[in-house]
Amino acid sequence: MRIDHRNPVHPTSAVRNLGILAHVDAGKTTVTERILYATGTTHKRGEVHDGTTVTDFDSQERDRGITIFAAAVSCAWDGHRVNLIDTPGHVDFADEVERSLRVLDGAVAVFDAVAGVEPQSESVWRQADRHGVPRIAFVNKLDRAGADLDTAVESIRRRLHPVPLVVQLPIGREDGFTGVVDLLRQRALTWTGDGGTAEVGPVPEALRDEAHRRRRLLEETVAELHPVALEEFCADGEVSARTLASALRELTRTGDGLVVLCGSAYRNRGIEPLLDAVVAYLPSPLDVPPVRGTFDGTECERRADPAAPFAALVFKVVAAATGRLTYLRVYSGTLRKGTEVRDAGAGRAERVARILRVHADRQSEVDTAVAGDIVAVAGPKAARAGATLCAREAPLLLEPPVVADPVVSVAVEARRSAEATRLAAALANLVEEDPSLSVRTDPETGQTLLSGMGELHLEVAVEKIRRARGLEIAVGRPEVSYRETVVGGVPGFVYRHVKQDGGAGQFAHVVLDVEPGDVEENGGFVFSSAVIGGRVPREYVRAVEAGCRDALAEGPLGGHPVTGLRVTLTDGATHPKDSSEPAFRTAGRLGLREALRAAVLRLLEPVTEVVVTVPEDAVGAVLGDLAARRGRVVASAVRSGTATVTAVVPLAELFGYADRLRGRTRGRGTFTTRPAGYAPAATRAGTTAR
C-alpha cells in the first residue's frame, strides 16, 4: 500500500469517482474521514460526535450529527485519484443521493455489522440499481457488541439479492476485533491501538482451517459466475489469487457479484484494504459506457476522451453569499478556465472564470478539468442542477437527474413586512440549490408555501435561511401533498372545442376513454391513441396528449394533482381551416378536465414505512400509538431484548412523532422512515366525486 501525498494529475484510467452510501448512522461520514486520513489528505481524524469532520462542515450537520448535504472531496491512493462524495443517509435528503449517483461511476455501500440492511440502506441500494452503479460493500462497526459479519452478509443477500463475495474473515469478535484475514492472498492484516498502517503477517493458527474453508467457498462461488475462473477451477481444482482478482473486478462492474469487506471505521481498522478494493474493483471513467445525449432530436454518445468535444452535467449548485459555485461531472473533452461554454437546455452562453478541485468546504484552483473529473466552477450565473454544459460548436443535451415530487408543505412568512423581499430572495436561492424543494403562492390564502420531502427537510431549509440570512421567519403547521386518482372511468367522453372571434377560428373534436391506471406506471399517466383512418393527424394526437397532461395539475376533488389513469383517444374530427395544434391541446385539456368531473375519483395521501426500534417492554405502548396514527403493522421481531416494529403510516400522522416516541419509551426508542407511495385517504367529506 502506497500513499501518494503529492496528488498529481492522473490519466483518466486512474480516476475513481465513487459515493459512500448507507442508512443514517451506519458510519458513512466516519468511513470518509478515515479515507482522507489514510490517504494523507488530512492529518487529524475528524469525529462526528465532536463536530470535527471534513465533509459534515455545515453548522446544522454538526449540531444534528447527521449528513444533510452531499459533500465532495478528492484524494489520492496508490497512484489513483479518488473523487469521493459523502451522501446523506436520511430519507428526507434522498434527492441529494439521486443527483450524486447520476454522476458517479461506483459506490461503497456501508452496512452496520449489528443492524445489517436498514430501511434507507435498501432505498439507496435501489437508487444505485436504477443508475447501474457498480458497488462494493463494507460491513462496518465490527467492534460493537452483537456485531457479526455472517449475519450482516445474510441480511444483504436476503434483502438486496446480490451474490455476496466475502473476501475477508474477521480476526476477533466485538471489542476484541483486531484485524482481518485477506482470503485472496491468505494473509493477516492487523491493527493495534487506534489503527494506522496494517501489520501484515501469516494467518493465525486458530483461523487457518476456517480461512481455507472460506477461500474455497469464494473460489466455488466465483467459478459459478465467471467462465475463466470456472475453466481454471475445473482444470486445476482451485482458482489463483490473480484470476480471482480479475474475476472479482469483472463481476463488480457487471453487477453479477458484490465484493464484501469488513472493519471498524471508528477504530481505523479496515480502511486501507477498502481503498485497495476501490482501486482494484470499481470502474474508472473509461470502464463505463459512453454517456448518451441528444440534440435537435438526434441521439449521440460521448466517450471519456479528453480530446473529444466538451460535455459536462451540473449536479449541484451552491448559491452562497461569497459567490455561486456550480459542481460538474466532466464526461468528455477538456475544460479550461476562461472558456465560454453553452448551457444546452437554456440555449445560453456561460463563461467559466475558475475551475476548483473540491475538498468539502475548501477548494484549490486548477487550470483544466478533463473527462472523468468532478470539479466545481465559478462563473456560470444561471446554470441549474441537471443542466448540460457543452462546447458551443458541439451541442449536446444530457438526461438530467430525476427530481422527486415534494410531499410536505409549510407556510412561511417574514415576521417583519420589511423583510419580505429578502425572504423571497432567500427562498429562490434555496430552490436553486435543492431542486427537491419548491416554492409557490397559495391562490386562495396568498400564503407562501415551501414544499419538500419531509418534516426534517423543511426544518433544515427554514433553519438555513435563519442562520445564513439572519431572518426571523414564522412557519405554519406542515401539510402533506394529496393526489387524486380515478377509480371509476368514463368511456367515450365527447368534447368539442369551437371558438370564433372574428379572426382565424379554433376547432377540435375529441373522444376520450378515461380508465383507472397504475399510480406507479409511467408517472401515473398513460396516454394512447386508437384513432384509425387519419381522422386526427399525428401532430394533433401529440397536442391532445400535451393538453391532457396540462389537465392533470388540478383535479376536481380539491385541486390536487391527478395520477393513476389511462386516457385513450378513440376518435375525433378536424376542420380544414380552423383546426390546429393549439386547438387540439385546448380540447385535450378541457376535455379531460370535464371527463374527470364525470368520473369517480378518490383522494390519495402519502404513506411512509416506519421502522421503530424500542426495548421489548415498550412494544405495547408503541403499537397503541401507531394504531392511533392509522398505522398498519406489517412486521415485528425481537432480538436480544430489543423489538423492531415495521408499520405503514400516513405521512400526515407522523408530524411530532419523534417527541411522542421519546416520551413513551423514556428516550430509548428510535425510528426511521422511507416513502411508501400513496394510499387511499381516510374517508371524509369530498373524497369521492362523480
Side-chain angles (χ1 to χ4, degrees):
M1 302 174 196
R2 299 182 301 279
I3 301 175
D4 187 347
H5 296 281
R6 297 171 299 168
N7 243 11
V9 175
H10 297 287
T12 304
S13 61
V15 171
R16 298 293 183 272
N17 293 318
L18 69 137
I20 307 293
L21 310 175
H23 182 88
V24 64
D25 279 341
K28 298 182 312 302
T29 300
T30 303
V31 168
T32 304
E33 287 297 315
R34 298 306 184 258
I35 287 175
L36 295 178
Y37 182 75
T39 56
T41 307
T42 60
H43 302 287
K44 183 179 179 181
R45 291 176 293 180
E47 304 293 353
V48 173
H49 56 270
D50 292 335
T52 56
T53 57
V54 172
T55 53
D56 284 355
F57 56 84
D58 185 86
S59 59
Q60 288 200 72
E61 292 179 310
R62 292 182 170 177
D63 290 347
R64 298 173 187 271
I66 62 172
T67 300
I68 296 172
F69 310 107
V73 291
S74 185
C75 55
W77 179 257
D78 196 19
H80 292 71
R81 175 173 297 286
V82 179
N83 296 318
L84 188 153
I85 297 180
D86 179 21
T87 65
H90 196 284
V91 64
D92 281 16
F93 309 106
D95 191 66
E96 287 274 321
V97 182
E98 185 74 18
R99 285 184 281 123
S100 299
L101 284 170
R102 176 64 178 79
V103 299
L104 294 174
D105 300 323
V108 175
V110 180
F111 300 94
D112 187 314
V114 178
V117 176
E118 297 172 273
Q120 190 60 11
S121 310
E122 195 167 349
S123 295
V124 297
W125 188 271
R126 302 303 175 210
Q127 286 179 283
D129 278 344
R130 288 199 303 273
H131 289 279
V133 175
R135 279 142 282 173
I136 60 176
F138 182 71
V139 178
N140 191 27
K141 302 187 179 184
L142 273 179
D143 58 319
R144 287 183 58 198
D148 185 78
L149 175 62
D150 291 339
T151 302
V153 170
E154 181 55 32
S155 172
I156 294 170
R157 185 198 311 274
R158 187 179 67 255
R159 297 281 298 276
L160 306 179
H161 312 296
V163 179
L165 304 170
V166 183
V167 298
Q168 292 177 342
L169 170 66
I171 299 175
R173 290 181 60 85
E174 300 178 350
D175 195 52
F177 171 70
T178 59
V180 297
V181 173
D182 177 355
L183 296 178
L184 265 72
R185 298 170 182 82
Q186 288 292 295
R187 60 179 184 172
L189 304 173
T190 56
W191 292 268
T192 57
D194 290 331
T197 302
E199 296 180 6
V200 181
V203 178
E205 182 69 32
L207 290 176
R208 285 182 183 173
D209 288 345
E210 181 64 11
H212 177 75
R213 184 185 73 80
R214 293 189 179 231
R215 165 60 184 261
R216 186 70 175 179
L217 179 62
L218 176 63
E219 291 177 1
E220 291 172 354
T221 306
V222 170
E224 290 176 0
L225 300 170
H226 194 274
V228 174
L230 176 62
E231 184 178 342
E232 186 173 311
F233 186 79
C234 292
D236 303 336
E238 62 179 9
V239 182
S240 67
R242 182 173 182 177
T243 301
L244 267 181
S246 176
L248 290 173
R249 180 168 56 250
E250 291 185 32
L251 294 172
T252 297
R253 294 174 185 180
T254 61
D256 294 325
L258 176 70
V259 172
V260 181
L261 301 98
C262 60
S264 167
Y266 179 70
R267 294 196 177 186
N268 204 23
R269 296 174 182 176
I271 299 302
E272 296 157 298
L274 175 62
L275 280 165
D276 289 338
V278 164
V279 168
Y281 305 133
L282 290 179
S284 76
L286 294 178
D287 298 320
V288 298
V291 67
R292 304 184 70 85
T294 60
F295 198 79
D296 286 341
T298 303
E299 188 172 294
C300 54
E301 62 181 37
R302 297 276 172 84
R303 297 187 178 277
D305 181 359
F310 171 72
L313 185 71
V314 177
F315 68 94
K316 186 179 178 71
V317 172
V318 177
T322 54
R324 190 178 192 273
L325 287 183
T326 304
Y327 287 70
L328 308 174
R329 161 65 191 265
V330 181
Y331 282 100
S332 68
T334 300
L335 178 66
R336 296 178 175 81
K337 65 179 183 179
T339 302
E340 188 177 273
V341 296
R342 175 191 177 102
D343 183 335
R348 179 177 48 237
E350 297 275 16
R351 183 168 294 279
V352 175
R354 300 164 64 209
I355 304 174
L356 305 167
R357 186 79 62 194
V358 182
H359 307 278
D361 59 337
R362 297 176 292 109
Q363 302 90 29
S364 58
E365 191 164 347
V366 295
D367 293 330
T368 61
V370 300
D373 273 341
I374 293 178
V375 294
V377 298
K381 293 180 171 56
R384 297 292 190 95
T388 303
L389 299 184
C390 57
R392 289 181 301 166
E393 65 278 5
L396 181 72
L397 186 63
L398 302 175
E399 182 181 355
V402 175
V403 179
D405 293 330
V407 294
V408 182
S409 302
V410 291
V412 293
E413 64 178 21
R415 291 193 181 275
R416 293 191 290 269
S417 58
E419 294 182 335
T421 302
R422 289 179 60 204
L423 175 59
L427 290 171
N429 279 345
L430 265 184
V431 174
E432 186 177 14
E433 291 187 358
D434 186 351
S436 62
L437 290 168
S438 68
V439 177
R440 64 184 176 89
T441 301
D442 189 308
E444 295 182 4
T445 65
Q447 289 179 306
T448 299
L449 300 180
L450 176 64
S451 304
M453 302 307 299
E455 194 174 7
L456 179 60
H457 190 202
L458 296 178
E459 195 179 302
V460 166
V462 170
E463 187 62 23
K464 186 173 183 179
I465 293 178
R466 286 177 176 148
R467 295 189 185 194
R469 304 291 181 124
L471 290 171
E472 293 185 24
I473 306 171
V475 181
R477 187 183 185 278
E479 297 288 343
V480 302
S481 297
Y482 292 90
R483 296 287 186 270
E484 300 175 22
T485 190
V486 174
V487 294
V490 179
F493 188 86
V494 178
Y495 187 83
R496 180 186 291 259
H497 172 64
V498 181
K499 183 178 180 182
Q500 290 290 344
D501 53 7
Q506 291 189 11
F507 177 90
H509 176 90
V510 296
V511 181
L512 304 174
D513 282 355
V514 179
E515 307 169 272
D518 189 343
V519 174
E520 303 296 330
E521 181 184 1
N522 198 34
F525 175 67
V526 176
F527 180 89
S528 61
S529 172
V531 177
I532 59 175
R535 291 177 60 82
V536 180
R538 185 176 301 174
E539 62 270 22
Y540 293 170
V541 171
R542 289 194 295 266
V544 173
E545 179 180 0
C548 288
R549 291 186 182 278
D550 294 341
L552 299 179
E554 294 183 6
L557 293 184
H560 310 293
V562 182
T563 187
L565 75 161
R566 293 175 173 271
V567 176
T568 305
L569 177 64
T570 60
D571 200 0
T574 62
H575 186 278
K577 292 184 178 179
D578 294 343
S579 289
S580 63
E581 289 186 35
F584 272 88
R585 181 164 186 161
T586 301
R589 184 181 76 253
L590 299 180
L592 181 55
R593 192 174 293 173
E594 291 293 331
L596 290 175
R597 291 193 181 99
V600 179
L601 272 74
R602 176 179 293 158
L603 195 66
L604 301 177
E605 63 181 342
V607 294
T608 299
E609 183 185 87
V610 183
V611 180
V612 186
T613 303
V614 295
E616 191 174 0
D617 59 8
V619 171
V622 168
L623 290 175
D625 189 46
L626 288 173
R629 295 171 184 271
R630 297 190 284 129
R632 176 173 54 87
V633 175
V634 296
S636 62
V638 178
R639 180 186 175 193
S640 304
T642 299
T644 301
V645 178
T646 304
V648 176
V649 185
L651 178 61
E653 301 289 350
L654 283 179
F655 298 135
Y657 184 61
D659 291 338
R660 178 65 66 88
L661 181 64
R662 279 194 292 267
R664 288 182 176 271
T665 62
R666 298 179 181 178
R668 298 175 296 166
T670 61
F671 77 100
T672 59
T673 65
R674 65 171 179 170
Y678 283 82
T683 303
R684 65 184 187 187
T687 59
T688 306
R690 178 174 286 280

